[in-house]
Amino acid sequence: MNTTVAPKHRDRVLLAVGTIIFTVFALSLGDALIKQSSGQFVIWQIFVIRSAIAIPFLVGYLAIRVPSALRLGHAFGWTTLRSLLLVVMWICYYLSLPHLTLSVAAATYYTLPIFITLFSAITTRTKISKTGWFAVVIGFAGVLFILRPDAGNFNGYALLPLFAAMLYAVAMILTRTKCRDEHPIKLSLALNIAFVAVGAIAALVISLLSGDMRDGFLLAPWSTMTLTGLGTMAILAASILIGSIGAAIAYQNGPPAMIGTFDFAYVGFSFVWGVVFFAETPDALSLIGIVLIVGAGVMALRQ
């Protein structure tokens, strides 16, 4: 992967930092609502309806303000790959939410700076410092506190946000290296189109399954939409709009290491939503794991 950054684009750090904090606030709230709605809606219904609400706003904005951005452009392939990586990332993360507390899911997901460190070393042959390797060890020790890989306590669902972190790390590297000159609204539009396409294909495949297989957050049939349900979808659409646009703006305008540090605010917001919405309190070992992962992530970003 070529990680050369176009020199013509100057960083705007204050914009990037403010944007990522607001972005993770909105995303964490949306994820709490998805966890709350996981017994009501199937994941593909959320993908399709949420993005179907968001897409007209994105197209309208681009048509009025930046009509040239509606063209495919030279980075079409990279934009498509980025979108699909993020769709799979969100599938993994959302599927973990019914089975984990929000704070544990968030902390496991935020091993992503560790993967950014490792992937950068592989793709650019950058040497990892002693601090970087220490961060890797500490971070994965934190993951072990959460996973507890013994016969009685192993929580396999925590592997899903771990895999999501890998995908997000790759997607954000692509954002900065291959899609840096793409309009962030265009990147958001591409992502939401991918949500609709993947959700619709999955719904079609599920409709062909036998009735006894169609159950759960992944395979259940779509629910009938009520006014309350539409309101929830509208909030989720706003969340994904803010999230998809904000992440693109932040990582286009600030160094990934710096933005990633502030990205950790998601863990704190998730802890708050977990208490407010679900009265969740992680046990002592999970709290130790959360602290280790956050500390390791900050070290990895600042090495």
Side-chain angles (χ1 to χ4, degrees):
M1 181 186 297
N2 181 9
T3 56
T4 301
V5 176
K8 65 179 180 179
H9 193 296
R10 297 182 61 186
D11 285 341
R12 292 182 288 176
V13 174
L14 288 179
L15 170 66
V17 169
T19 298
I20 199 62
I21 291 174
F22 182 63
T23 295
V24 296
F25 171 85
L27 281 175
S28 62
L29 178 58
D31 292 344
L33 290 176
I34 286 178
K35 179 178 175 66
Q36 192 174 52
S37 304
S38 61
Q40 180 181 1
F41 301 114
V42 67
I43 186 172
W44 315 114
Q45 185 175 10
I46 293 174
F47 277 8
V48 172
I49 298 178
R50 179 185 66 178
S51 291
I53 295 172
I55 285 172
F57 291 97
L58 297 169
V59 172
Y61 178 90
L62 290 176
I64 295 171
R65 300 293 299 272
V66 198
S68 62
L70 291 173
R71 304 191 189 102
L72 294 181
H74 68 281
F76 172 73
W78 292 114
T79 300
T80 301
L81 176 59
R82 174 188 183 274
S83 299
L84 291 175
L85 286 170
L86 289 174
V87 169
V88 178
M89 180 274 288
W90 261 299
I91 290 171
C92 292
Y93 188 65
Y94 288 163
L95 288 179
S96 76
L97 292 181
H99 307 282
L100 302 172
T101 64
L102 271 176
S103 56
V104 165
T108 307
Y109 170 67
Y110 270 82
T111 52
L112 67 94
I114 297 170
F115 291 113
I116 290 176
T117 298
L118 292 174
F119 295 163
S120 296
I122 293 171
T123 57
T124 66
R125 299 183 184 278
T126 301
K127 184 178 180 180
I128 300 177
S129 67
K130 292 181 180 179
T131 300
W133 282 117
F134 184 65
V136 170
V137 173
I138 293 298
F140 282 109
V143 172
L144 292 178
F145 272 99
I146 291 173
L147 286 176
R148 300 174 205 176
D150 59 74
N153 295 313
F154 178 69
N155 190 347
Y157 286 103
L159 292 173
L160 290 173
L162 194 66
F163 184 56
M166 299 180 195
L167 294 171
Y168 185 82
V170 175
M172 290 306 103
I173 289 173
L174 286 179
T175 300
R176 185 161 172 87
T177 60
K178 299 297 185 180
C179 305
R180 196 177 191 193
D181 294 321
E182 294 297 312
H183 197 287
I185 305 296
K186 180 177 181 178
L187 293 177
S188 179
L189 176 60
L191 175 59
N192 280 280
I193 289 173
F195 274 130
V196 171
V198 172
I201 292 170
L204 178 61
V205 172
I206 291 170
S207 69
L208 302 176
L209 299 177
S210 61
D212 58 340
M213 295 180 63
R214 299 177 65 188
D215 189 31
F217 191 38
L218 184 65
L219 299 177
W222 284 27
S223 304
T224 302
M225 293 300 302
T226 63
L227 286 178
T228 302
L230 284 173
T232 299
M233 291 295 177
I235 295 173
L236 292 177
S239 172
I240 197 63
L241 277 173
I242 294 170
S244 56
I245 296 170
I249 292 174
Y251 280 91
Q252 283 179 330
N253 287 280
M258 177 182 292
I259 303 310
T261 301
F262 289 95
D263 214 332
F264 272 103
Y266 180 97
V267 179
F269 287 132
S270 294
F271 186 89
V272 172
W273 302 138
V275 173
V276 171
F277 286 102
F278 310 106
E280 294 176 347
T281 304
D283 59 36
L285 288 178
S286 294
L287 283 173
I288 293 172
I290 290 170
V291 171
L292 289 174
I293 289 171
V294 172
V298 173
M299 282 191 291
L301 290 167
R302 294 188 175 278
Q303 66 158 328

